[in-house]
Amino acid sequence: MTAHLPVVWPDRSDPAVFVRGPVFWRQWVAATGRAVRSAHSEGEFVIAVVMPMVFALGFYLPLRLIMADRGIDYAQFLMPIIVLQAIAFTAVAAAQRATLEKLRGMSRRMASMPVRPLVPLFARMSTSMIRSVISVIAALVFGALLGFSFDGSTLDTIGFIAFALAVGLVLAIGADSLGLIARNAEATSQLLVLPQLVLGLLSTGFVPEDSFPGWAQPFARNQPISHFAATMRDLAAGELTMNTALPALIWLAALAVVVLLAAFHTQTHRRLYP
């Protein structure tokens, strides 16, 4: 005769049985942990450190003497665009990550599970922001070795870093939306790398406006990368004015509206399989 064991309910105070906290928060942390481990295994964080060094040395070494003859401290002038280029590559990685998750079936699997709708997006963006922070830190370390320094207040320094990360977040959200509708990760990265390189080179981030031909100066002066770099340059110097900050903030807000609308559309209407 088989003995019947009494039913014992799990102890709610045991963290191994019940995980406390809001559902969205728990799912976000779990999904972010998986995404960070995946990014680490694929070498994304190593690339986040290497890319700022490549850009810094690639432009600083050949141009520093030319700029010195014009009375420009090129390390101080160059560093904002190096930071911006580094976080732009973070956005490229965000697009690849979204495409690979779709191609590997992860997006479809998450949609079939009781996972809150925005958890996958928040997890990918959290991973992108971690990579952006690493890139910004690496860029500032390399910049310090070249002679870059923050001459403003602590608030200006915080503003410099916060503005760079805000730009990185906006770009990552837009790239993520593109990655969700793409069918090939390599094609997605190529599609994003070319515009950011062209806009970077045709901006006042690497060279002053008067270094461009007359016909190109209006575009170089008024495009968003130039405004972003100018704002960060003034923050580093502690000399930010509304005339410099306002165009950059308008561009950033406009881009944020566009990418958030795109993200809403792709999260609610995307196909979860190739």
Side-chain angles (χ1 to χ4, degrees):
M1 182 175 179
T2 304
H4 294 281
L5 298 176
V7 176
V8 179
W9 293 103
D11 183 4
R12 290 181 176 272
S13 63
D14 184 359
V17 177
F18 287 96
V19 180
R20 298 181 181 277
V23 174
F24 184 92
W25 170 255
R26 300 201 307 267
Q27 293 178 347
W28 181 12
V29 171
T32 300
R34 183 197 65 82
V36 169
R37 289 191 296 270
S38 176
H40 174 69
S41 66
E42 294 176 5
E44 284 194 30
F45 299 136
V46 174
I47 296 174
V49 173
V50 172
M51 289 306 299
M53 179 181 67
V54 171
F55 275 109
L57 296 180
F59 286 94
Y60 178 79
L61 292 180
L63 294 177
R64 71 189 191 285
L65 296 179
I66 297 175
M67 294 300 169
D69 290 339
R70 301 180 58 178
I72 297 175
D73 183 348
Y74 196 49
Q76 207 70 19
F77 184 91
L78 181 67
M79 192 46 51
I81 192 66
I82 297 302
V83 173
L84 288 172
Q85 289 290 312
I87 61 175
F89 273 91
T90 296
V92 174
Q96 290 179 315
R97 189 179 304 112
T99 303
L100 288 175
E101 284 202 356
K102 184 182 73 170
L103 295 177
R104 293 168 179 172
M106 180 55 68
S107 296
R108 190 176 186 181
R109 180 182 177 186
M110 295 284 278
S112 66
M113 297 171 64
V115 176
R116 299 296 170 86
L118 290 179
V119 165
L121 174 64
F122 274 54
R124 291 193 299 271
M125 291 304 99
S126 298
T127 306
S128 294
M129 292 308 295
I130 292 172
R131 175 169 169 163
S132 291
V133 169
I134 294 173
S135 288
V136 170
I137 293 173
L140 294 178
V141 170
F142 296 136
L145 295 176
L146 297 178
F148 172 77
S149 63
F150 287 105
D151 298 327
S153 65
T154 301
L155 188 60
D156 291 323
T157 302
I158 294 173
F160 179 101
I161 297 172
F163 184 82
L165 294 178
V167 173
L169 179 60
V170 170
L171 294 180
I173 294 174
D176 182 87
S177 299
L178 179 61
L180 284 177
I181 62 176
R183 293 177 177 270
N184 184 283
E186 290 75 16
T188 304
S189 63
Q190 294 172 4
L191 181 63
L192 289 173
V193 167
L194 184 59
Q196 65 99 353
L197 284 177
V198 170
L199 286 175
L201 293 173
L202 290 178
S203 73
T204 57
F206 291 109
V207 294
E209 179 186 337
D210 57 12
S211 299
F212 291 94
W215 57 268
Q217 289 183 11
F219 177 80
R221 178 174 62 250
N222 295 306
Q223 61 129 314
I225 303 300
S226 295
H227 289 299
F228 295 162
T231 297
M232 294 171 65
R233 199 174 292 130
D234 283 1
L235 282 168
E239 300 173 349
L240 184 65
T241 64
M242 186 56 67
N243 288 337
T244 303
L246 186 58
L249 293 175
I250 291 174
W251 270 112
L252 184 59
L255 289 173
V257 170
V258 172
V259 301
L260 288 174
L261 290 175
F264 176 79
H265 178 77
T266 54
Q267 290 296 315
T268 56
H269 297 86
R270 71 186 188 279
R271 290 177 61 181
L272 300 175
Y273 49 91

